[in-house]
Amino acid sequence: MGENNANTIGSCPVCNREMWKDCHVDRHHFTPKCRGGKESEYVHKVCHNKIHSIWTEKELEKEFNDPEKVRTHPEIQKFIKFVCKKDPDYYDKNDIHKRKK
Ligand SMILES: [Zn+2]
Ligand SMILES: [Zn+2]
């Protein structure tokens, strides 16, 4: 609703906050391709990391293959409350550190 609107890529399926092209976003396959999943979806990097820190690939594939289900988990609810107070661009810098290795 501002002049920045052109940069939005929709709202995050995890936390529901808006995502911006130039902030930290990732793509996540809610339903893996091998199970007939569509394309990956944009999620915030921080949300993406959270998902993968709670569940293994197998659990994601079997149970948490739907944003609706992901959001009902208590850990995610806690996380959403926490992350809603952060900037849209917020991410865990420590995580970047790990990835560089
Ligand atoms: Zn998010
Ligand atoms: Zn993922």
Side-chain angles (χ1 to χ4, degrees):
M1 281 147 254
E3 58 266 34
N4 286 330
N5 222 19
N7 280 326
T8 185
I9 45 178
S11 51
C12 174
V14 179
C15 70
N16 243 333
R17 295 177 307 147
E18 249 181 307
M19 295 178 291
W20 308 91
K21 268 185 201 155
D22 48 1
C23 75
H24 302 280
V25 289
D26 266 344
R27 313 203 88 186
H28 176 69
H29 276 99
F30 278 101
T31 310
K33 273 187 196 153
C34 56
R35 296 181 120 232
K38 308 164 277 186
E39 310 138 43
S40 54
E41 289 182 54
Y42 279 114
V43 291
H44 292 109
K45 198 166 226 151
V46 63
C47 298
H48 195 213
N49 290 344
K50 188 68 187 176
I51 290 177
H52 285 281
S53 75
I54 300 178
W55 299 293
T56 63
E57 291 295 330
K58 267 220 176 99
E59 289 167 330
L60 283 168
E61 190 183 312
K62 277 199 184 152
E63 276 187 75
F64 296 94
N65 48 22
D66 182 322
E68 293 290 318
K69 284 183 202 156
V70 165
R71 279 202 301 265
T72 59
H73 193 276
E75 275 296 312
I76 289 289
Q77 305 237 306
K78 244 197 275 168
F79 167 76
I80 292 173
K81 267 186 199 151
F82 158 81
V83 87
C84 276
K85 293 175 199 143
K86 303 284 182 187
D87 288 343
D89 203 21
Y90 169 80
Y91 70 104
D92 189 351
K93 292 192 178 72
N94 294 326
D95 206 76
I96 290 280
H97 229 79
K98 271 184 252 157
R99 282 180 184 221
K100 270 191 177 165
K101 278 199 171 168

